């Protein structure tokens, strides 16, 4: 029996005040934030920290829960999936992105500029939440 996948992601501010956006093949060329599946026995915090190290080589600090979203058979995702997306806000002292094979492109932008990118709808929701809360 298939069950929903629990996934984590984070909108991360660098020390210069800009946020990291990435483009991956999994979201059909749309831009988003690094993240991925929570592994068995792993906390949400451990998962988001691991995913950032694996995907972009960044260590996260000041990780704070932001929201949970549900992606049920989203046409934006590359395959049929039912995901619970647990979103965080965080900072990093690192600035050099070391991408893995999942990351096609990346950019550091000011939060208000993020909405100018073709974001997947779930990342758009996270950016809009961050904008309502005010920049970090």
């Amino acid at each position: 029996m298939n069950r929903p996948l629990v996934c984590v992601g984070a909108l991360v501010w660098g020390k210069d005040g800009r946020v990291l956006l990435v483009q991956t093949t999994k979201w059909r060329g749309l831009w988003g934030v690094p993240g991925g599946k929570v592994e068995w026995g792993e906390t949400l915090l451990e998962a988001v920290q691991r995913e950032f190290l694996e995907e972009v080589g960044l260590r996260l600090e000041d990780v704070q829960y932001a929201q949970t979203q549900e992606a049920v058979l989203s046409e934006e995702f590359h395959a049929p999936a039912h995901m619970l997306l647990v979103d965080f806000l965080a900072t990093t002292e690192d600035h050099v992105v070391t991408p893995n094979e999942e990351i096609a492109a990346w950019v550091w932008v000011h939060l208000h500029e993020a909405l100018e990118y073709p974001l997947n709808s779930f990342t758009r929701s996270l950016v809009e939440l961050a904008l309502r809360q005010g920049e970090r």
Side-chain angles (χ1 to χ4, degrees):
M1 176 193 317
N2 288 339
R3 296 191 185 279
L5 295 171
V6 178
C7 300
V8 292
L11 184 62
V12 175
W13 279 259
K15 55 187 167 198
D16 66 354
R18 294 182 296 164
V19 296
L20 177 66
L21 298 177
V22 296
Q23 185 182 41
T24 71
T25 55
K26 289 185 176 181
W27 289 94
R28 301 188 189 272
L30 296 172
W31 289 75
V33 296
K37 295 187 282 277
V38 177
E39 294 179 358
W40 176 260
E42 188 175 51
T43 67
L44 297 171
L45 179 59
E46 290 167 344
V48 74
Q49 290 172 325
R50 175 187 50 77
E51 284 289 342
F52 265 76
L53 272 176
E54 289 177 2
E55 291 190 1
V56 293
L58 299 177
R59 294 190 186 280
L60 299 184
E61 299 175 8
D62 191 28
V63 181
Q64 299 176 8
Y65 172 80
Q67 66 181 2
T68 300
Q69 302 183 76
E70 191 173 35
V72 181
L73 304 176
S74 171
E75 292 185 9
E76 295 174 319
F77 198 66
H78 73 102
H82 180 175
M83 298 176 285
L84 292 177
L85 306 172
V86 182
D87 296 329
F88 294 90
L89 303 174
T91 61
T92 184
E93 287 296 312
D94 304 327
H95 195 76
V96 177
V97 172
T98 307
N100 72 2
E101 69 282 351
E102 295 181 34
I103 307 299
W106 68 92
V107 65
W108 290 95
V109 298
H110 292 288
L111 184 60
H112 63 276
E113 296 171 328
L115 295 177
E116 297 171 15
Y117 282 76
L119 303 174
N120 67 60
S121 60
F122 305 99
T123 298
R124 181 168 297 280
S125 170
L126 181 56
V127 168
E128 289 170 347
L129 174 71
L131 283 166
R132 286 193 305 274
Q133 291 183 353
E135 297 210 26
R136 296 188 117 194

